[in-house]
């Protein structure tokens, strides 16, 4: 690879990482609302935790956060 190709690779990876960070922040912000909706629909904390790849305590912690 040339220096230019190396730098282009670094730039591309940094841009993809920034996009992933933004997507993660957005999804993390949406998660409490969706958890509340699932709870209102009668979905168990255990199932929500499995689907969200969280512990049950993590789900309870998110439920304790105030809606934004």
């Amino acid at each position: 690879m040339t220096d230019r190709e190396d730098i282009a690779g670094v730039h591309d990876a940094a841009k993809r990482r920034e996009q992933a960070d933004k997507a993660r922040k957005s999804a993390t912000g949406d998660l409490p609302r969706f958890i509340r909706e699932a709870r209102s629909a009668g979905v168990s904390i255990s199932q929500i935790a499995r689907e969200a790849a969280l512990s049950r305590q993590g789900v309870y912690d998110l439920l304790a956060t105030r809606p934004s």
Side-chain angles (χ1 to χ4, degrees):
M1 283 188 157
T2 66
D3 286 347
R4 184 169 288 195
E5 290 171 328
D6 290 337
I7 293 301
V10 169
H11 177 75
D12 180 58
K15 188 170 186 137
R16 287 184 289 125
R17 182 176 178 181
E18 181 181 349
Q19 291 168 342
D21 287 344
K22 287 179 183 178
R24 181 180 177 90
K25 285 179 185 177
S26 176
T28 300
D30 292 343
L31 197 52
R33 177 174 52 91
F34 286 120
I35 288 173
R36 285 183 182 87
E37 289 174 7
R39 283 299 296 148
S40 293
V43 180
S44 72
I45 293 292
S46 294
Q47 183 176 357
I48 292 169
R50 280 192 305 273
E51 296 297 327
L54 295 169
S55 66
R56 289 181 311 151
Q57 185 61 52
V59 173
Y60 286 118
D61 290 346
L62 284 172
L63 286 172
T65 61
R66 292 186 176 252
S68 46

